[in-house]
Amino acid sequence: MGIDAVYTYDIAGLKSAISEHNSFVLTCHLNPDGDALGSTLGLRHVLRQMGKEATVITPDLPPTNLMWIPGAKGIRTYERDIEACDAIIDAADCIIMMDFNELTRLKQLGNKLSSSKKFTILVDHHLDPIVKCDVMISNPKASATAEIIFSCLRDMSFIDYIDVRAATCFYIGIMTDTGGLSYNSSDPNLYILIAELLKRGVDKDSVHDMIFNNKSLRRLRLMGYALNRKTMRIGDLPVSLMTLSREELDKYKYNTGDTEGFVNFPLQAKNIICSIFLMERPDGIKISLRSKGDFSVSEFAQHYYKGGGHFNASGATYHGTFDDACETVKRDMIEYCEGKLNKTQN
Ligand code: 5GP
Ligand code: MN
């Protein structure tokens, strides 16, 4: 990874926290993806199998194309129903935070959690977690938070509580965070975990079909438009920039989740090692970054926009007009690449 990653594995703390508490709230980051939903819902199934109360609260609505994940219908969404969610949080005795490394990634729900005095657990695989918590499980080398929680359940001897629903959720987390096991998934031990999940009855082919072949024609048209008309190379750098304004998204009747994965496509070009995607949202311009090899996009996101994520997959939010965002990101990337070139020449 090229950097010293924080690794914390307080498995004894996790085991006593799960054994001693009875009602849990599980939560994840804004714009929840397959891993955020897979790890929280999977652990929710396990806790319920253990006879505990457990509710998943997401900061905002999960994308509709992931609502088939086992247990997704029972998800509560903070920004939709603050009062009811506050009551659930107040009544719980333990909060489990999954798949994020700082509370700002939860918007309003983050404020609620930072003022809460509950026992808190963090399970995550992002770099440099800065969340205050009583028990921390952090492994930035893990493919997904779902991989970490599954290993923890095995190491705590809770593996028998993992039924087919929980196993399916964990498998979804692992396979979506690795692009269908195509990157960040070279550790042979990962496949031993996957074998354990499949033994529990996960229908792998149907999961892949639901994840990859479950798109609307409208979404495919938006993808065609974005690739054909809205993707350019920044100068002669090995970097592509894709942009979609509010107006363009409206024209294609954009639904949450429709642009998931768009940022990965330009990396299929052999001379592109970094792909940037800018999308206009009501709360700012969302910046998504992906890269190949030793090109760090987390450093870029963090340095220029106070964002973060993983070495090869990061994000941030730009506050300003859409046109400014496009120009600023281009300029910053040119400067960032110049810095990298100078470093390699010295
Ligand atoms: P995505 O582009 O899929 O939204 O995000 C890629 C990765 O970067 C994810 O791991 C996500 O958690 C992280 N990420 C996205 N936006 C932000 C941000 O604003 N701040 C931080 N710290 N991480 C982000
Ligand atoms: Mn993840």
PDB file of all heavy atoms in Angstrom, residues 251-264:
ATOM      1  N   LYS A 251     -32.370  15.384 -17.300  1.00  0.00           N
ATOM      2  CA  LYS A 251     -32.807  15.004 -18.644  1.00  0.00           C
ATOM      3  C   LYS A 251     -32.955  13.472 -18.736  1.00  0.00           C
ATOM      4  O   LYS A 251     -33.840  12.968 -19.419  1.00  0.00           O
ATOM      5  CB  LYS A 251     -31.773  15.503 -19.649  1.00  0.00           C
ATOM      6  CG  LYS A 251     -32.273  15.547 -21.047  1.00  0.00           C
ATOM      7  CD  LYS A 251     -31.306  16.249 -21.965  1.00  0.00           C
ATOM      8  CE  LYS A 251     -31.304  15.519 -23.294  1.00  0.00           C
ATOM      9  NZ  LYS A 251     -30.044  15.616 -23.995  1.00  0.00           N
ATOM     10  N   TYR A 252     -32.093  12.758 -18.037  1.00  0.00           N
ATOM     11  CA  TYR A 252     -32.138  11.287 -18.068  1.00  0.00           C
ATOM     12  C   TYR A 252     -32.906  10.719 -16.879  1.00  0.00           C
ATOM     13  O   TYR A 252     -32.805   9.545 -16.570  1.00  0.00           O
ATOM     14  CB  TYR A 252     -30.715  10.710 -18.122  1.00  0.00           C
ATOM     15  CG  TYR A 252     -30.104  10.847 -19.502  1.00  0.00           C
ATOM     16  CD1 TYR A 252     -29.448  12.013 -19.873  1.00  0.00           C
ATOM     17  CD2 TYR A 252     -30.236   9.825 -20.440  1.00  0.00           C
ATOM     18  CE1 TYR A 252     -28.908  12.159 -21.136  1.00  0.00           C
ATOM     19  CE2 TYR A 252     -29.692   9.963 -21.704  1.00  0.00           C
ATOM     20  CZ  TYR A 252     -29.030  11.126 -22.054  1.00  0.00           C
ATOM     21  OH  TYR A 252     -28.503  11.255 -23.314  1.00  0.00           O
ATOM     22  N   LYS A 253     -33.659  11.600 -16.185  1.00  0.00           N
ATOM     23  CA  LYS A 253     -34.497  11.193 -15.042  1.00  0.00           C
ATOM     24  C   LYS A 253     -33.702  10.358 -14.036  1.00  0.00           C
ATOM     25  O   LYS A 253     -34.078   9.242 -13.650  1.00  0.00           O
ATOM     26  CB  LYS A 253     -35.732  10.433 -15.518  1.00  0.00           C
ATOM     27  CG  LYS A 253     -36.578  11.258 -16.452  1.00  0.00           C
ATOM     28  CD  LYS A 253     -37.947  10.679 -16.615  1.00  0.00           C
ATOM     29  CE  LYS A 253     -38.905  11.581 -17.359  1.00  0.00           C
ATOM     30  NZ  LYS A 253     -38.362  12.324 -18.493  1.00  0.00           N
ATOM     31  N   TYR A 254     -32.586  10.935 -13.615  1.00  0.00           N
ATOM     32  CA  TYR A 254     -31.641  10.277 -12.706  1.00  0.00           C
ATOM     33  C   TYR A 254     -32.302   9.817 -11.395  1.00  0.00           C
ATOM     34  O   TYR A 254     -33.045  10.558 -10.763  1.00  0.00           O
ATOM     35  CB  TYR A 254     -30.506  11.267 -12.388  1.00  0.00           C
ATOM     36  CG  TYR A 254     -29.638  10.847 -11.232  1.00  0.00           C
ATOM     37  CD1 TYR A 254     -28.638   9.904 -11.411  1.00  0.00           C
ATOM     38  CD2 TYR A 254     -29.834  11.376  -9.952  1.00  0.00           C
ATOM     39  CE1 TYR A 254     -27.845   9.501 -10.348  1.00  0.00           C
ATOM     40  CE2 TYR A 254     -29.049  10.987  -8.885  1.00  0.00           C
ATOM     41  CZ  TYR A 254     -28.050  10.048  -9.089  1.00  0.00           C
ATOM     42  OH  TYR A 254     -27.284   9.653  -8.039  1.00  0.00           O
ATOM     43  N   ASN A 255     -32.037   8.598 -11.009  1.00  0.00           N
ATOM     44  CA  ASN A 255     -32.409   8.068  -9.686  1.00  0.00           C
ATOM     45  C   ASN A 255     -31.145   7.763  -8.909  1.00  0.00           C
ATOM     46  O   ASN A 255     -30.138   7.381  -9.517  1.00  0.00           O
ATOM     47  CB  ASN A 255     -33.137   6.721  -9.823  1.00  0.00           C
ATOM     48  CG  ASN A 255     -34.604   6.905 -10.091  1.00  0.00           C
ATOM     49  OD1 ASN A 255     -35.160   7.952  -9.776  1.00  0.00           O
ATOM     50  ND2 ASN A 255     -35.201   5.895 -10.689  1.00  0.00           N
ATOM     51  N   THR A 256     -31.198   7.859  -7.566  1.00  0.00           N
ATOM     52  CA  THR A 256     -30.021   7.523  -6.750  1.00  0.00           C
ATOM     53  C   THR A 256     -29.464   6.171  -7.184  1.00  0.00           C
ATOM     54  O   THR A 256     -30.223   5.222  -7.363  1.00  0.00           O
ATOM     55  CB  THR A 256     -30.414   7.403  -5.257  1.00  0.00           C
ATOM     56  OG1 THR A 256     -31.380   8.379  -4.986  1.00  0.00           O
ATOM     57  CG2 THR A 256     -29.216   7.523  -4.355  1.00  0.00           C
ATOM     58  N   GLY A 257     -28.165   6.105  -7.342  1.00  0.00           N
ATOM     59  CA  GLY A 257     -27.538   4.822  -7.684  1.00  0.00           C
ATOM     60  C   GLY A 257     -27.318   4.645  -9.176  1.00  0.00           C
ATOM     61  O   GLY A 257     -26.534   3.800  -9.590  1.00  0.00           O
ATOM     62  N   ASP A 258     -27.988   5.467 -10.017  1.00  0.00           N
ATOM     63  CA  ASP A 258     -27.876   5.285 -11.471  1.00  0.00           C
ATOM     64  C   ASP A 258     -26.446   5.454 -11.986  1.00  0.00           C
ATOM     65  O   ASP A 258     -26.078   4.861 -12.994  1.00  0.00           O
ATOM     66  CB  ASP A 258     -28.757   6.305 -12.214  1.00  0.00           C
ATOM     67  CG  ASP A 258     -30.213   5.877 -12.265  1.00  0.00           C
ATOM     68  OD1 ASP A 258     -30.504   4.724 -11.884  1.00  0.00           O
ATOM     69  OD2 ASP A 258     -31.049   6.700 -12.681  1.00  0.00           O
ATOM     70  N   THR A 259     -25.657   6.300 -11.322  1.00  0.00           N
ATOM     71  CA  THR A 259     -24.308   6.557 -11.835  1.00  0.00           C
ATOM     72  C   THR A 259     -23.246   5.698 -11.136  1.00  0.00           C
ATOM     73  O   THR A 259     -22.048   5.868 -11.389  1.00  0.00           O
ATOM     74  CB  THR A 259     -23.931   8.049 -11.650  1.00  0.00           C
ATOM     75  OG1 THR A 259     -24.131   8.372 -10.283  1.00  0.00           O
ATOM     76  CG2 THR A 259     -24.762   8.960 -12.523  1.00  0.00           C
ATOM     77  N   GLU A 260     -23.700   4.792 -10.265  1.00  0.00           N
ATOM     78  CA  GLU A 260     -22.780   3.889  -9.560  1.00  0.00           C
ATOM     79  C   GLU A 260     -21.902   3.146 -10.579  1.00  0.00           C
ATOM     80  O   GLU A 260     -22.413   2.556 -11.530  1.00  0.00           O
ATOM     81  CB  GLU A 260     -23.639   2.885  -8.761  1.00  0.00           C
ATOM     82  CG  GLU A 260     -22.899   2.103  -7.705  1.00  0.00           C
ATOM     83  CD  GLU A 260     -22.350   2.978  -6.595  1.00  0.00           C
ATOM     84  OE1 GLU A 260     -23.048   3.909  -6.154  1.00  0.00           O
ATOM     85  OE2 GLU A 260     -21.205   2.725  -6.191  1.00  0.00           O
ATOM     86  N   GLY A 261     -20.616   3.188 -10.398  1.00  0.00           N
ATOM     87  CA  GLY A 261     -19.715   2.427 -11.279  1.00  0.00           C
ATOM     88  C   GLY A 261     -19.272   3.181 -12.518  1.00  0.00           C
ATOM     89  O   GLY A 261     -18.351   2.748 -13.210  1.00  0.00           O
ATOM     90  N   PHE A 262     -19.898   4.331 -12.846  1.00  0.00           N
ATOM     91  CA  PHE A 262     -19.503   5.074 -14.060  1.00  0.00           C
ATOM     92  C   PHE A 262     -18.007   5.408 -14.021  1.00  0.00           C
ATOM     93  O   PHE A 262     -17.324   5.349 -15.027  1.00  0.00           O
ATOM     94  CB  PHE A 262     -20.271   6.400 -14.177  1.00  0.00           C
ATOM     95  CG  PHE A 262     -21.670   6.269 -14.720  1.00  0.00           C
ATOM     96  CD1 PHE A 262     -22.322   5.050 -14.730  1.00  0.00           C
ATOM     97  CD2 PHE A 262     -22.338   7.377 -15.225  1.00  0.00           C
ATOM     98  CE1 PHE A 262     -23.616   4.932 -15.225  1.00  0.00           C
ATOM     99  CE2 PHE A 262     -23.619   7.270 -15.724  1.00  0.00           C
ATOM    100  CZ  PHE A 262     -24.262   6.054 -15.723  1.00  0.00           C
ATOM    101  N   VAL A 263     -17.528   5.782 -12.828  1.00  0.00           N
ATOM    102  CA  VAL A 263     -16.144   6.244 -12.690  1.00  0.00           C
ATOM    103  C   VAL A 263     -15.120   5.151 -13.047  1.00  0.00           C
ATOM    104  O   VAL A 263     -13.986   5.440 -13.409  1.00  0.00           O
ATOM    105  CB  VAL A 263     -15.915   6.801 -11.257  1.00  0.00           C
ATOM    106  CG1 VAL A 263     -16.059   5.704 -10.216  1.00  0.00           C
ATOM    107  CG2 VAL A 263     -14.571   7.490 -11.120  1.00  0.00           C
ATOM    108  N   ASN A 264     -15.554   3.891 -12.985  1.00  0.00           N
ATOM    109  CA  ASN A 264     -14.602   2.808 -13.267  1.00  0.00           C
ATOM    110  C   ASN A 264     -14.316   2.640 -14.767  1.00  0.00           C
ATOM    111  O   ASN A 264     -13.248   2.178 -15.143  1.00  0.00           O
ATOM    112  CB  ASN A 264     -15.137   1.470 -12.739  1.00  0.00           C
ATOM    113  CG  ASN A 264     -15.199   1.473 -11.233  1.00  0.00           C
ATOM    114  OD1 ASN A 264     -14.233   1.806 -10.564  1.00  0.00           O
ATOM    115  ND2 ASN A 264     -16.351   1.150 -10.678  1.00  0.00           N
TER     116      ASN A 264
END
